[in-house]
Every structure is written in C-alpha cells, then in structure tokens.
Amino acid sequence: MKSTIEKLIEMLEKFFKGEYDPWQFSCDFPDFCFENYDNLETECKGLGYYLDQEVPDICDEGEPGFDPTHMKEELQKVYQKVKFFINN
C-alpha cells in the first residue's frame, strides 16, 4: 500500500508529465493535502504544515482554460521541498 507521501508525489509527477488536467489538478491537489494533513504530518513532521501554507495559494490561480505555466513552476519548487523533507 502506498504511503500518503508516495501518492502526493505521484500526483505531482502526473501533473508535470501532462497526464493530469491542470484545472482539475488545481482543485484536487489542495483537497488531497488538506484531507491528508494528519497522515502527512505523521509520515514526515512539518510536511503537512508546509503544504497547507503553500499549496492553496499556488493552486488558487487554476480555472478552466488557464495557462498553468506559473502554477507548474511554483509546484516544481514544492516538489523539490517535498523531496528535501523526505530525505532529511
């Protein structure tokens, strides 16, 4: 069974590869982070809090037909920070 962090990383990687509709992702990803806050904190102290502080503002720019370039750039930074959290 995949950990919550593995599911989170999988979501981000699908988005980066273009396998996840940007607008749908901008709705689903913050919801996933919110709904799994406690699991993320249990698996990696501080990660749930970090995502709670960063992700909603980044994903708020999502709307049908928007250009996801900026959101993708910001989420790349989040992705790198998630990798840092789990490797330290």
Side-chain angles (χ1 to χ4, degrees):
M1 188 167 146
K2 290 183 184 175
S3 71
T4 307
I5 293 173
E6 288 170 327
K7 291 176 187 174
L8 178 124
I9 289 172
E10 186 177 271
M11 285 179 79
L12 284 166
E13 289 175 347
K14 280 185 173 181
F15 173 65
F16 296 144
K17 292 178 187 173
E19 298 172 1
Y20 209 126
D21 176 71
W23 181 70
Q24 188 63 53
F25 183 85
S26 74
C27 298
D28 293 348
F29 192 64
D31 287 348
F32 177 86
C33 293
F34 175 77
E35 292 166 4
N36 291 284
Y37 180 93
D38 291 337
N39 290 342
L40 290 164
E41 279 293 305
T42 299
E43 291 175 25
C44 185
K45 185 75 174 148
L47 181 57
Y49 180 79
Y50 168 74
L51 293 169
D52 183 58
Q53 297 301 304
E54 297 296 321
V55 168
D57 289 340
I58 294 169
C59 291
D60 272 351
E61 64 186 70
E63 59 183 51
F66 80 113
D67 178 358
T69 304
H70 180 258
M71 185 175 84
K72 194 174 280 190
E73 289 170 358
E74 293 302 309
L75 287 171
Q76 283 282 356
K77 295 174 190 173
V78 169
Y79 178 77
Q80 294 305 317
K81 188 78 170 187
V82 169
K83 293 288 197 171
F84 176 79
F85 264 97
I86 61 178
N87 290 323
N88 289 310

